[in-house]
Amino acid sequence: MDLDALVAVPIIFMVIVAPVWIIAHYVTKWRVAKTLSVDDERMLSDLWHSATEMDSRIQQLEKILDAEAPGWRARQ
């Protein structure tokens, strides 16, 4: 083997193989990052449940305020 062949192999690797390899690696990472983990899904479910409860409480408080202080909305 001559020196040109020994130099050509690393150059071809760095120009063709390495960039494709790196791009494929990060595409895989981005696809995994798009999905929710089990903990993320649980946290989202808990937040949804809390928001539903808070909405119900706010509606009840507004009903109480409407009954006890009819003009409370105008005073804001």
Side-chain angles (χ1 to χ4, degrees):
M1 258 200 197
D2 59 345
L3 186 59
D4 291 337
L6 290 176
V7 172
V9 171
I11 290 174
I12 291 172
F13 179 81
M14 290 176 10
V15 171
I16 298 173
V17 177
V20 171
W21 192 353
I22 291 170
I23 290 169
H25 170 74
Y26 282 106
V27 165
T28 303
K29 291 284 186 184
W30 293 328
R31 283 186 183 162
V32 169
K34 284 184 182 180
T35 60
L36 292 176
S37 68
V38 175
D39 290 337
D40 291 339
E41 288 181 8
R42 186 177 301 119
M43 181 177 61
L44 189 59
S45 175
D46 291 344
L47 288 172
W48 179 260
H49 182 69
S50 295
T52 305
E53 287 180 354
M54 283 189 274
D55 185 48
S56 174
R57 289 177 183 177
I58 289 170
Q59 289 177 4
Q60 291 298 322
L61 287 172
E62 287 178 348
K63 285 180 185 178
I64 292 169
L65 284 171
D66 286 339
E68 293 185 6
W72 72 273
R73 291 182 195 263
R75 288 186 272 184
Q76 295 179 357

